[in-house]
Amino acid sequence: SAVISQKPSRDICQRGTSLTIQCQVDSQVTMMFWYRQQPGQSLTLIATANQGSEATYESGFVIDKFPISRPNLTFSTLTVSNMSPEDSSIYLCSGSGRGRDNEQFFGPGTRLTVL
Amino acid sequence: AQKITQTQPGMFVQEKEAVTLDCTYDTSDPSYGLFWYKQPSSGEMIFLIYQGSYDQQNATEGRYSLNFQKARKSANLVISASQLGDSAMYFCAMSTSNYQLIWGAGTKLIIKP
């Protein structure tokens, strides 16, 4: 496996603003993913972060709202744009390609509250 | 369609007892993997155990074991001798052919002293 760090760990933001979350892996991974977890819910995949190209977004998520970058094999960012209270969630970064099957290992998450 | 079902939204278990968390899955792929993750209140996702569809034996990792019944398409997590620190959300997940994981709704486990 690998170790993933994420920052910030938590933030409280005002509606209409944007927040960029950083995800750093301590070694190269094949795939990186961004998830949203709304309170009391399971994980929902936002997008797959592709190195050097546009991310692949899941249904219901768009690049204008959640722009993602992945400049290399160990780093990615997710921006939550023009935030509203409905964006209050835990945002999780994960990586895969170093374990069995498609095992994903996760960062500690970013707990976002939008007022 | 591929799907993971966890039918137990919440469970209360007495400390030191064994607990079984249910997970059923649906897929037409012959090759797949099944995972269990633990999420404490801090929010991090912790990998617990993995079972491959072609594995002949049930996976075990310390106090965790996976009761894999392929014909029934079930992959239940068994925690032996539960501890207070086992209180958390538990998620079952299945790998797909496009490198993603499909997630169940989760089970909230509370261990009572």
Side-chain angles (χ1 to χ4, degrees):
Chain A
S1 64
V3 175
I4 295 185
S5 59
Q6 229 180 290
K7 58 181 180 181
S9 58
R10 59 176 63 230
D11 208 340
I12 301 173
C13 301
Q14 297 296 320
R15 68 169 67 212
T17 62
S18 298
L19 176 72
T20 295
I21 303 169
Q22 298 181 6
C23 178
Q24 178 76 55
V25 190
D26 69 341
S27 54
Q28 292 182 359
V29 292
T30 306
M31 312 288 286
M32 292 184 75
F33 303 94
W34 286 98
Y35 289 91
R36 180 176 72 183
Q37 186 180 27
Q38 295 177 306
Q41 302 295 313
S42 185
L43 280 69
T44 300
L45 182 64
I46 297 172
T48 302
N50 301 310
Q51 187 215 349
S53 64
E54 189 173 296
T56 304
Y57 290 85
E58 298 300 306
S59 176
F61 297 96
V62 295
I63 188 171
D64 290 345
K65 175 67 175 177
F66 298 100
I68 288 170
S69 75
R70 187 181 176 190
N72 56 52
L73 290 175
T74 63
F75 184 78
S76 179
T77 66
L78 167 74
T79 299
V80 185
S81 304
N82 188 24
M83 289 183 286
S84 67
E86 292 71 36
D87 294 320
S88 297
S89 296
I90 297 175
Y91 291 86
L92 292 152
C93 169
S94 74
S96 72
R98 298 187 63 82
R100 292 163 294 190
D101 206 327
N102 294 327
E103 176 185 343
Q104 293 183 19
F105 44 94
F106 286 80
T110 296
R111 195 178 295 265
L112 172 62
T113 301
V114 183
L115 302 177
Chain B
Q2 295 171 309
K3 188 178 180 181
I4 291 282
T5 302
Q6 294 180 255
T7 58
Q8 305 154 310
M11 288 187 69
F12 287 88
V13 173
Q14 200 69 38
E15 187 181 9
K16 299 182 183 177
E17 289 184 352
V19 56
T20 298
L21 304 181
D22 294 341
C23 173
T24 58
Y25 61 92
D26 191 15
T27 181
S28 57
D29 289 342
S31 179
Y32 50 89
L34 296 157
F35 303 83
W36 277 92
Y37 286 84
K38 172 184 178 181
Q39 187 179 39
S41 58
S42 57
E44 63 194 299
M45 294 290 288
I46 303 168
F47 166 77
L48 295 179
I49 197 166
Y50 163 82
Q51 180 84 42
S53 58
Y54 292 118
D55 292 344
Q56 295 297 314
Q57 295 188 337
N58 288 342
T60 61
E61 295 281 353
R63 292 188 300 113
Y64 304 107
S65 61
L66 200 152
N67 184 3
F68 181 47
Q69 298 189 42
K70 197 169 183 178
R72 294 185 177 184
K73 294 189 174 180
S74 73
N76 298 338
L77 177 70
V78 180
I79 305 175
S80 64
S82 58
Q83 303 171 355
L84 296 179
D86 294 332
S87 294
M89 285 290 293
Y90 288 80
F91 292 96
C92 180
M94 179 173 66
S95 61
T96 69
S97 57
N98 64 352
Y99 308 103
Q100 296 177 2
L101 293 180
I102 295 175
W103 296 85
T107 296
K108 184 171 185 177
L109 176 64
I110 297 175
I111 307 298
K112 300 181 292 183

